[in-house]
Amino acid sequence: MDNLDNYRNIIQNKLKEYTEIPYAYGDLRCRLIVSDDQNNFLLITQGWEDDLHVHGCLVHLEIIQDKIWIHRDGIEDGIANELVAAGIPKSQIVLGFHPPDVRPFTEFAVS
């Protein structure tokens, strides 16, 4: 298994764990959406909280040129730390939600 396939499996398994955690309120659930080319991974929250329809992106990861770009991270402890704990080096993860001039100070890849 090459690195990209390994990264895809790690990402999918980590995000799938969140789909199995029930919400403590409302009629909400997390759904994992993976693009056909397996380069985009979305974790969304969907459902109802009282009379309010909820539909939003919790996490968006994208594989771009052999690196994992985190475009959105709404997980309390940060998906980047979970990916590192699962064996993906920081040098392969880009915190894309930070401006380019801030990324060199993050310990993760710049681009």
Side-chain angles (χ1 to χ4, degrees), residues 2-26:
D2 68 13
N3 276 345
L4 279 182
D5 286 339
N6 186 39
Y7 294 168
R8 287 179 178 114
N9 284 335
I10 290 171
I11 291 168
Q12 199 155 341
N13 289 335
K14 281 290 163 195
L15 294 179
K16 190 168 189 265
E17 290 175 11
Y18 285 94
T19 67
E20 297 166 0
I21 300 172
Y23 275 83
Y25 55 92

Side-chain angles (χ1 to χ4, degrees), residues 18-19 21 23 28-32 43-46 58:
Y18 285 94
T19 67
I21 300 172
Y23 275 83
L28 300 170
R29 65 182 179 141
C30 271
R31 296 182 63 200
L32 174 60
L43 188 64
I44 66 167
T45 302
Q46 184 179 25
L58 190 59

Side-chain angles (χ1 to χ4, degrees), residues 23-43:
Y23 275 83
Y25 55 92
D27 184 19
L28 300 170
R29 65 182 179 141
C30 271
R31 296 182 63 200
L32 174 60
I33 300 169
V34 181
S35 64
D36 283 343
D37 62 3
Q38 295 190 324
N39 286 331
N40 278 279
F41 303 84
L42 291 166
L43 188 64

Side-chain angles (χ1 to χ4, degrees), residues 38-94:
Q38 295 190 324
N39 286 331
N40 278 279
F41 303 84
L42 291 166
L43 188 64
I44 66 167
T45 302
Q46 184 179 25
W48 291 90
E49 185 175 352
D50 296 324
D51 294 334
L52 180 65
H53 183 247
V54 177
H55 187 272
C57 177
L58 190 59
V59 174
H60 179 195
L61 306 179
E62 183 176 13
I63 296 176
I64 302 173
Q65 296 177 345
D66 300 339
K67 292 194 178 167
I68 301 165
W69 283 70
I70 301 175
H71 297 297
R72 166 104 174 100
D73 186 359
I75 292 177
E76 189 171 331
D77 295 327
I79 192 66
N81 292 329
E82 292 195 33
L83 296 177
V84 170
I88 299 176
K90 289 181 177 180
S91 62
Q92 293 303 112
I93 300 171
V94 179

Side-chain angles (χ1 to χ4, degrees), residues 90-111:
K90 289 181 177 180
S91 62
Q92 293 303 112
I93 300 171
V94 179
L95 303 180
F97 53 83
H98 283 310
D101 61 323
V102 172
R103 290 183 205 146
F105 305 104
T106 66
E107 299 181 6
F108 288 86
V110 173
S111 62

